[in-house]
Amino acid sequence: MSNWDSIVLLTVNLSNGVVNKTTLTDKSFLKKYLGGRGVATHYFLSKVDPFVDPYSPDNPIIFAPGTLTGTFVPCSGRTSIMFKSPATNRFFKTNVGGAFGAQLKFAGYDILIVEGKAEEPVYIYIENERVEIRSAKHLWGKDMRETNQIVREENDDDELQLACIGPAGENKVIYASVHASIYNAAGRGGGGAVMGDKNLKAIAVKGTKSIGVSRPKEFAATVKRLREKMEEASGVQPLSDYGTSVGVESTNSIGAFPVKNFQQSTIYNVHLLTGQYLVESGLLKRKVSCYSCPVACHRFVTVDDGKYRGTYCGGPEYETLSALGGGCLSTDINAVIKANELCNILGLDVISTGNCIQWLLECKQRGVMTDADADGLDLSWGNMDTVIELTRKIAHREGVGDLLAKGLKVAAEEVGQDSYKWAIQARGLEQSRVETRSAFAYALAFAVSSRGPDHLNTECLAEFGGAPEAIQLIERITGSKEYAYPYTTDKRAEIVRWHEDIYAAGDSMGICAFPTTAQHWVDEFDMADLYSSFSGIDVTAEEIMMSGRRVITLERVFSGILGYTRADDVLPYRMMYEKQLDAMHDNAINSPEVLDIMKDQYFKLHGWDLEAGLPTKEVLEELELDEFESKATFL
């Protein structure tokens, strides 16, 4: 076992079958980007034409486990996946847990880059130095379960870890997901559609190599200290006991649980949609962990009786229970689990799937579409038979499912009749299940995110002040506990930038967002200790955050090259122009005026051009990103 002192990039070109391995050893470069998301983002900006068509062979899909993925650092099993998104037509980073990333690291690779396009369905097999492109014609059309089972059986190896797509990816549903194993989804942005376009059904990987540590005693001591912090954090045990849906009831109680396509913010009998109910009802059969995670926030559930008897799947997570449950005006937990199972095995993002279905239901509510327009399905709110059937139709692009498979932006354009007003999307991405009209840091984060209106670049949960650690964090970021209050524009820029920076740095290191941005037992000082002792490259907490800021800035540069400016930093129409009627405060709207106040503060904090909302030459130089000045045509 040797010390970690380099990053190994494995490139597989599906067009010509060429496999290359590149090793990066420049320590100043590694220090700047840390690994994972940081290095992969630099690669994407350096090598890929920003104007590339998302379905071009020249649009790579990159799998980037974090620097610490594969080690025993708690909650370090994450992998970032990057591509130009067919949904947003922008650079897109998504992220997934499971054990795929750890196996890729054990095989000796820090980053996998897949280029080109195969002439017929294939899968990539990786076992240490053995890298092969194999036929997947027998896998095409198979769901996630079948694909995992067949590939493991034909290789006589139950330990193989897969990243794969289902029928939705093959059919290029614009929000098709990539799944690590079966139930860990990199859901957002359409990575599954990019794989489907490349005729890439799966990547199967196993490795037997060890991962070296530069200062093992120091590293072990840091990990031990972190585990002690984890055990003391107030949010860890509830998350372990009840999963991400532990917060459904409290969110509903403060009027921030999106219901009926964001027309309401509370729902009666919400307890039936909670993690607590999954336990009480016996639906929960076991907790599930990602690699090296002692928290185990993932769930595995089965439905043992009634109409949906025999259903089993991972989750459901908070987002699922809102998108496929409350959002569709239903608390039928068994039906939600059935719809979630279909998303899991067919390869659909649950957030976008739920939002698209809700939009269709509201189209009927407003007289824009009829049941006949939806293949005879009853589009009444709360009809879960319809929700389940629409989920299946979307994956296979059947009937009205073909319309919804194009995403809300295109679907609303095709249907017209002002249906864009209840299409809860911006910049091509359906909004995740946060009521931003009652969470202003989230509103700003969603507006400026490179992904679109989504929480997985910036999880600003601390603004609610729901835990002692959250209040302490807000005080540290802003100077006062009073800003742990979600209904104000004050100090939202500071809160958002801190969360963006640490989220990006955490992705680069492979650390889950829960310890950093939800439970607050890993901060930038801990990350500096981890990285320094693991790599032997000394970094400070400030340099950790600076590394994250480089990633955010590069993503902004990519968007700027494409011509996007602050004028494109918007939220869905409903958030900006319709007041949240049942909110618990008087200012429940993300109007353009409110957003402008926060965007001004945010761009000033970054030092970006205020009018364009884009990085300046001075900022690029300050962040040592001079090499991208010539690419940044907006300068």
Side-chain angles (χ1 to χ4, degrees):
M1 179 172 66
S2 60
N3 293 341
W4 183 88
D5 59 2
S6 60
I7 285 182
V8 179
L9 281 64
L10 175 68
T11 304
V12 178
N13 190 308
L14 298 178
S15 294
N16 56 25
V18 172
V19 175
N20 276 319
K21 190 165 80 171
T22 306
T23 303
L24 307 177
T25 59
D26 182 345
K27 285 187 169 48
S28 63
F29 176 82
L30 302 184
K31 185 174 181 175
K32 280 174 64 176
Y33 295 100
L34 300 180
R37 179 180 171 186
V39 171
T41 302
H42 178 274
Y43 177 93
F44 210 97
L45 268 287
S46 302
K47 305 291 186 183
V48 179
D49 178 3
F51 293 94
V52 68
D53 188 296
Y55 291 139
S56 164
D58 295 328
N59 181 27
I61 185 164
I62 302 177
F63 297 80
T67 308
L68 300 176
T69 302
T71 72
F72 62 100
V73 172
C75 306
S76 62
R78 306 295 300 189
T79 298
S80 293
I81 303 176
M82 298 170 204
F83 47 88
K84 189 174 181 188
S85 166
T88 67
N89 201 37
R90 300 182 183 214
F91 172 83
F92 204 95
K93 181 274 314 182
T94 185
N95 193 273
V96 68
F100 176 83
Q103 285 297 326
L104 192 62
K105 297 295 285 287
F106 297 151
Y109 307 108
D110 296 278
I111 293 174
L112 168 65
I113 302 162
V114 182
E115 301 174 336
K117 178 176 180 175
E119 292 184 357
E120 57 186 27
V122 298
Y123 78 93
I124 299 172
Y125 180 86
I126 301 171
E127 183 180 356
N128 298 335
E129 303 305 320
R130 183 179 172 190
V131 180
E132 298 174 357
I133 301 172
R134 298 179 175 178
S135 173
K137 286 193 286 188
H138 61 304
L139 301 173
W140 211 247
K142 303 296 185 186
D143 67 28
M144 299 292 183
R145 289 177 185 149
E146 294 166 332
T147 301
N148 275 266
Q149 181 180 353
I150 292 170
V151 172
R152 286 172 175 164
E153 284 181 354
E154 68 188 19
N155 288 284
D156 193 24
D157 191 342
D158 290 337
E159 300 301 318
L160 269 180
Q161 292 296 319
L162 271 68
C164 60
I165 61 171
E170 297 170 12
N171 294 324
K172 293 196 281 188
V173 175
I174 207 165
Y175 42 88
S177 50
V178 181
H179 286 225
S181 69
I182 302 170
Y183 301 123
N184 296 281
R188 313 240 64 199
V194 174
M195 282 182 65
D197 183 71
K198 292 182 179 301
N199 283 321
L200 177 60
K201 179 68 177 179
I203 301 161
V205 59
K206 70 175 292 184
T208 57
K209 298 180 181 179
S210 58
I211 296 175
V213 177
S214 294
R215 301 172 192 160
K217 289 184 179 178
E218 184 181 329
F219 186 65
T222 302
V223 172
K224 181 174 182 293
R225 177 173 58 78
L226 272 183
R227 290 190 72 102
E228 292 169 354
K229 285 182 69 177
M230 179 190 74
E231 290 168 3
E232 294 173 359
S234 64
V236 172
Q237 195 60 51
L239 180 66
S240 178
D241 288 343
Y242 303 117
T244 58
S245 52
V246 65
V248 169
E249 205 149 22
S250 59
T251 306
N252 192 70
S253 70
I254 62 171
F257 186 62
V259 174
K260 199 179 179 185
N261 200 28
F262 287 81
Q263 296 182 78
Q264 301 173 198
S265 302
T266 59
I267 190 168
Y268 182 68
N269 270 343
V270 72
H271 186 67
L272 301 178
L273 293 177
T274 63
Q276 292 86 336
Y277 183 74
L278 291 177
V279 175
E280 295 162 6
S281 62
L283 290 164
L284 177 71
K285 295 302 185 290
R286 65 175 186 270
K287 300 190 291 187
V288 180
S289 287
C290 297
Y291 185 86
S292 195
C293 178
V295 179
C297 74
H298 291 313
R299 316 280 93 179
F300 182 80
V301 297
T302 68
V303 179
D304 301 327
D305 51 33
K307 187 175 182 179
Y308 305 107
R309 181 181 179 184
T311 300
Y312 63 98
C313 63
E317 308 285 346
Y318 169 93
E319 296 286 333
T320 313
L321 292 161
S322 178
L324 298 173
C328 299
L329 202 58
S330 174
T331 57
D332 183 344
I333 186 68
N334 290 349
V336 173
I337 291 171
K338 181 62 185 178
N340 186 49
E341 178 191 53
L342 289 177
C343 287
N344 279 177
I345 64 174
L346 299 177
L348 287 169
D349 174 38
V350 293
I351 298 172
S352 292
T353 300
N355 280 21
C356 287
I357 291 172
Q358 290 164 48
W359 169 82
L360 187 64
L361 301 184
E362 190 164 347
C363 280
K364 177 183 177 180
Q365 173 192 331
R366 299 189 180 281
V368 171
M369 294 186 76
T370 66
D371 294 348
D373 295 323
D375 311 325
L377 294 171
D378 177 3
L379 297 180
S380 301
W381 286 105
N383 188 327
M384 292 303 288
D385 287 341
T386 291
V387 171
I388 291 166
E389 179 61 7
L390 284 172
T391 301
R392 190 192 67 76
K393 281 177 169 286
I394 291 169
H396 295 288
R397 284 185 174 268
E398 289 180 8
V400 72
D402 183 57
L403 173 70
L404 301 183
K406 299 172 183 176
L408 277 181
K409 182 175 184 295
V410 174
E413 288 170 355
E414 290 191 8
V415 170
Q417 304 181 69
D418 285 346
S419 64
Y420 69 90
K421 292 182 177 178
W422 57 91
I424 310 301
Q425 67 82 31
R427 308 193 291 286
L429 188 75
E430 292 73 25
Q431 176 158 316
S432 56
R433 311 300 298 176
V434 179
E435 179 45 89
T436 54
R437 293 171 293 186
S438 286
F440 281 28
Y442 273 110
L444 173 61
F446 284 21
V448 300
S449 171
S450 63
R451 290 164 53 110
D454 171 85
H455 61 296
L456 295 176
N457 258 9
T458 321
E459 183 73 279
C460 302
L461 202 58
E463 74 166 327
F464 289 99
E469 297 92 338
I471 296 173
Q472 291 167 12
L473 176 63
I474 293 297
E475 183 177 24
R476 183 160 74 86
I477 295 171
T478 67
S480 173
K481 296 177 182 178
E482 69 176 285
Y483 296 115
Y485 179 74
Y487 310 141
T488 177
T489 58
D490 294 342
K491 299 293 183 182
R492 298 307 98 172
E494 286 84 351
I495 294 170
V496 168
R497 194 179 80 163
W498 187 90
H499 282 81
E500 284 178 336
D501 291 351
I502 202 161
Y503 206 119
D507 280 347
S508 297
M509 294 172 64
I511 295 175
C512 177
F514 281 115
T516 54
T517 66
Q519 299 155 356
H520 317 296
W521 52 272
V522 175
D523 60 25
E524 62 267 41
F525 298 93
D526 300 317
M527 292 165 70
D529 289 344
L530 284 171
Y531 191 85
S532 299
S533 58
F534 175 76
S535 68
I537 301 171
D538 288 320
V539 297
T540 66
E542 183 180 357
E543 288 168 334
I544 289 287
M545 298 299 271
M546 191 67 78
S547 172
R549 199 166 305 157
R550 284 191 188 94
V551 171
I552 298 301
T553 303
L554 285 180
E555 291 176 350
R556 195 73 179 183
V557 167
F558 195 92
S559 294
I561 295 170
L562 291 172
Y564 299 119
T565 68
R566 72 174 284 161
D568 299 291
D569 297 328
V570 296
L571 293 174
Y573 180 92
R574 175 156 286 163
M575 305 299 128
M576 296 181 67
Y577 300 102
E578 296 179 10
K579 195 167 183 178
Q580 181 193 346
L581 298 178
D582 55 357
M584 295 187 176
H585 65 115
D586 295 331
N587 191 31
I589 190 167
N590 304 140
S591 66
E593 294 76 17
V594 167
L595 283 181
D596 272 338
I597 292 170
M598 295 192 290
K599 284 194 287 188
D600 282 348
Q601 295 167 349
Y602 176 82
F603 297 142
K604 285 179 184 175
L605 193 63
H606 268 290
W608 294 355
D609 180 86
L610 203 56
E611 184 176 350
L614 294 172
T616 63
K617 181 178 179 182
E618 291 74 22
V619 166
L620 294 184
E621 290 173 352
E622 179 187 344
L623 294 175
E624 302 176 75
L625 298 173
D626 316 48
E627 63 182 297
F628 294 101
E629 284 184 17
S630 60
K631 286 179 174 284
T633 49
F634 54 82
L635 288 174

